[in-house]
Structure formats: structure tokens, C-alpha cells
Amino acid sequence: MNTKWRELDLGGEGLQAANLRLARLLRRRATAWGLLLLFPTGAHCWYLREPLAGSAYLVLTVLAGAFWLAAGPAYTWPGLAVIALLLVRDALTLENRIVACNKKLRTAIYLSQCAAAPPGFRGHHTALDDAAIVRRMPTFAEQEALLREINARKNENSEKPG
């Protein structure tokens, strides 16, 4: 596909500008999977904008290294097991996390394109809201009373000298 459109910049804040920003910000699957190879640093988590998970990888890696140096490899296995479990979890959920990250980015970009909703805006009307807004049909007795009132007004206007 031709990507020349990414080099264009018409200025302003239209849909094209939003698409250009989005194209630069979207997370790529190949990059995320490649960064998963650097799992001890949590690079794939940082790439997917998950700083807590990235920090957890770093802390666990540093702690495992410290235990290795201080107490030997025998005491390092629990930390390495936790890192291995995190790695397996990340490998199984990476695709869904990429999609979720891209969805958040897309939502943020497109919502920043327009003004906020007016105060008190509650979204689109539902059938229940429309039913509450539309007045109910008057009963038979109310219709008769209304006809009597109209007829009485008509008679009053006709009796007045013109």
C-alpha cells in the first residue's frame, strides 16, 4: 500500500490530521512481539503503555540478580519462576493487549477532535425517554371535557356583540 499520504500535512485539526497522528501512535504487533524477547527489561510493557507491568519486570529482574549475587543460584529460582510465569501470561495475552492499547489510542485521538458534549447531555434518546417526552393520549372523559370547553368558548364568542 502506498504510504505517501503519511507525509502530507494540510494543517488544521481535521480527520486527516487525526489519522496521521493515529498512524504514528498505533502499536505494531511485530514490534511488540520483538520487544517480548527483551522481557527482563519489560520493554514490551513499556511499548504498550503499561508502566506498572514494565516496572514489575525490572524490579523482579533486579531482585533476582541481587539474590543471585548475594545468596547464589539456589535462592534465585523463585524470582525466576515468577518472571517465567509473567512471560507466559504476556505471551498468551499480548495480542489482546495490543488491540486494547490501540483502541485506547484511537479513542483518545478521535475524541480530541471535537468539542465536549454540552452540559447535561445524556446521550441519545431511548424509546423510554421518548415515551416520557411525548404526552399521553387523553382519556375519553378528558376528550369530552375538552370538547365541552371548546363548545362553551365558541358559544361565548358568538353571543358577544361584534
Side-chain angles (χ1 to χ4, degrees), residues 76-86:
T76 308
W77 293 113
L80 294 177
V82 171
I83 293 173
L85 287 174
L86 286 175

Side-chain angles (χ1 to χ4, degrees), residues 81-103:
V82 171
I83 293 173
L85 287 174
L86 286 175
L87 176 62
V88 169
R89 180 195 63 99
D90 283 354
L92 293 175
T93 62
L94 191 62
E95 287 294 325
N96 291 337
R97 290 167 51 207
I98 294 168
V99 169
C101 180
N102 285 340
K103 184 177 180 180

Side-chain angles (χ1 to χ4, degrees), residues 140-158:
F140 185 71
E142 290 171 338
Q143 290 177 16
E144 282 186 334
L146 183 60
L147 287 173
R148 271 187 249 119
E149 183 183 328
I150 291 171
N151 197 20
R153 277 192 226 149
K154 189 177 186 183
N155 289 339
E156 285 176 12
N157 289 339
S158 63

Side-chain angles (χ1 to χ4, degrees), residues 1-8 20 23:
M1 180 173 152
N2 192 348
T3 58
K4 276 288 203 199
W5 64 272
R6 292 181 185 177
E7 298 171 13
L8 294 174
L20 288 171

Side-chain angles (χ1 to χ4, degrees), residues 109-123:
I109 292 288
Y110 287 137
L111 287 181
S112 69
Q113 290 299 109
C114 59
F121 180 73
R122 298 179 311 168

Side-chain angles (χ1 to χ4, degrees), residues 12-13 16-26 109 112-113:
E13 288 295 317
Q16 184 214 16
N19 286 336
L20 288 171
R21 275 200 318 269
L22 186 62
R24 283 191 298 271
L25 290 176
L26 283 179
I109 292 288
S112 69
Q113 290 299 109

Side-chain angles (χ1 to χ4, degrees), residues 33-53:
W33 282 102
L35 290 173
L36 188 62
L37 297 174
L38 301 173
F39 69 91
T41 64
H44 63 289
C45 296
W46 294 102
Y47 180 69
L48 294 176
R49 296 185 175 194
E50 298 171 344
L52 257 44

